Amino acid sequence: SAAQDVVEAQRTMARRAAAIFALFDALAAQRPLLIFIDDWQWADDATRQLLAGIRSSSGRSIFVFVAARQSGHDRVGLAGAEVVALRPFGDAESEQMIRHLLQTANTFETARLRADAGGNPLFLEELCQSLSHDGAGTGGAVFQNERMWLNKLIEARVERLAELQRDVLRTAAVVGNVVPVRLLEGLSREGFGTELLEALADQDLLYPDDEPDMLRFKHGIVRDVIYETVGMHQRRDLHSQIADALKQQSERERSEGSYEQLAYHFGAAGQWSEAASYAELAGEKAVATSALDRAKLQYEAALQALNRTDLTEQSYGQWLRIARRLGLVCVFDPSVSQLLLLLQAIKIADRFGDEAARGHAEY
């Protein structure tokens, strides 16, 4: 049953945690141990609990170092951790970066770039790219909204690309931060070769990933800006094509690995029934791997997708099934937003005259 699945997921997570604690304890018994984790702002609850357990349960010499973007909420921090906030580049550091990116920058250009970037390395990099490609830079025009300013710089870089390069880059942005080369080739109308990908890498935009036959954007922010330059109708059409291609691949390989991507792309294409079905499957997959926080997100996404449709007798049954599973996985870490969904389940059960479903949702 669904309840048994959730209980078993909790037990599995506890067994895995115990095994990992034992592993790190054994490693630290041999010599002092350093654990480094990047992009900590994306860590899920299970990872956070696991790291907290490692830090608190071992008497060994274990030093934990995590890097995270400051996102404005307390989930970035770790209880009792010493926080080292990275300050903006000083003048000397900025000048060193400018000299590295622009071999021929004169004193006036260096001072202007340093002032406009405000010590932000990403801004400084984009300004140098702009100056090196059009020789005009920003003309000292600084926008009050920093994100708008950065967007304009990135958009200008994309517009300078050859048409095919621009099309491939925008298609890649719709796929996501990490892009399978084979999928990108299938979506390209004209096709492309390694020379085009090398050109995009030379432009500091899209790089070969560590994983074979995969590409990755240099910065997540760059991908986001390029994504926004794709027209709404074209974007939805691309999401639909990507979803269809991933669905065929998933069926051909009998793989569960792309459920989350299928849910995302079908949703972005406005195909809400398909988005709901794959989000539900992604939730079940997350429960099976003891990732209950991810299961919550997927079940909530499934319900939100179904809310975009006219509930039929069939989809009503699906809505309540997902709501019951959401209720079960939320027992261990509930929040008000989840309560609101269960209250909605009561209203929907009343609408269909389903007393049993109403009682389950109330419980």
Side-chain angles (χ1 to χ4, degrees), residues 61-79:
S61 298
I62 299 179
F63 181 77
V64 178
F65 184 86
V66 302
R69 296 182 203 165
Q70 183 55 259
S71 61
H73 54 71
D74 57 8
R75 285 173 55 83
V76 168
L78 289 168

Side-chain angles (χ1 to χ4, degrees), residues 202-228:
D202 289 341
Q203 292 286 335
D204 231 16
L205 293 166
L206 194 66
Y207 285 90
D209 191 35
D210 293 336
E211 188 176 347
D213 300 320
M214 301 290 282
L215 303 170
R216 179 181 292 275
F217 277 90
K218 174 72 177 290
H219 296 290
I221 293 174
V222 171
R223 179 260 170 179
D224 293 344
V225 172
I226 296 171
Y227 179 84
E228 293 298 326

Side-chain angles (χ1 to χ4, degrees), residues 23-180:
L23 170 64
F24 281 111
D25 186 66
L27 291 172
Q30 301 174 26
R31 68 190 67 173
L33 185 64
L34 168 66
I35 302 174
F36 172 69
I37 307 174
D38 198 8
D39 283 330
W40 181 249
Q41 71 277 0
W42 303 124
D44 57 17
D45 290 342
T47 305
R48 292 177 179 279
Q49 292 168 12
L50 187 63
L51 188 59
I54 291 172
R55 295 176 65 216
S56 63
S57 66
S58 176
R60 309 289 186 183
S61 298
I62 299 179
F63 181 77
V64 178
F65 184 86
V66 302
R69 296 182 203 165
Q70 183 55 259
S71 61
H73 54 71
D74 57 8
R75 285 173 55 83
V76 168
L78 289 168
E82 179 182 354
V83 178
V84 179
L86 297 182
R87 296 175 297 176
F89 278 180
D91 288 351
E93 295 162 316
S94 295
E95 289 181 12
Q96 183 178 358
M97 185 173 180
I98 292 167
R99 285 196 300 270
H100 174 72
L101 295 172
L102 295 176
Q103 303 296 324
T104 60
N106 58 44
T107 303
F108 172 76
E109 287 173 336
T110 299
R112 191 188 69 193
L113 290 168
R114 191 178 64 227
D116 284 355
N120 185 306
L122 177 57
F123 291 178
L124 194 58
E125 183 176 354
E126 288 300 323
L127 283 165
C128 288
Q129 288 285 351
S130 177
L131 185 62
S132 66
H133 283 93
D134 65 14
T138 62
V142 179
F143 292 85
Q144 291 183 346
N145 185 317
E146 288 185 349
R147 182 59 187 268
M148 183 186 298
W149 176 61
L150 181 61
N151 289 4
K152 294 294 183 183
L153 287 172
I154 297 171
E155 289 170 11
R157 288 181 60 195
V158 173
E159 287 301 321
R160 286 193 294 267
L161 298 174
E163 183 178 1
L164 181 57
Q165 292 176 349
R166 190 165 59 242
D167 289 345
V168 169
L169 188 66
R170 286 173 173 164
T171 300
V174 177
V175 174
N177 281 319
V178 180
V179 186

Side-chain angles (χ1 to χ4, degrees), residues 311-324:
L311 284 182
T312 63
E313 188 171 343
Q314 180 181 1
S315 59
Y316 153 74
Q318 182 184 14
W319 204 103
L320 288 180
R321 181 179 67 244
I322 298 169
R324 284 196 293 269

Side-chain angles (χ1 to χ4, degrees), residues 174 227-240 268-270:
V174 177
Y227 179 84
E228 293 298 326
T229 66
V230 182
M232 184 178 298
H233 294 296
Q234 182 186 5
R235 191 188 308 169
R236 291 187 64 165
D237 182 59
L238 281 170
H239 277 297
S240 180

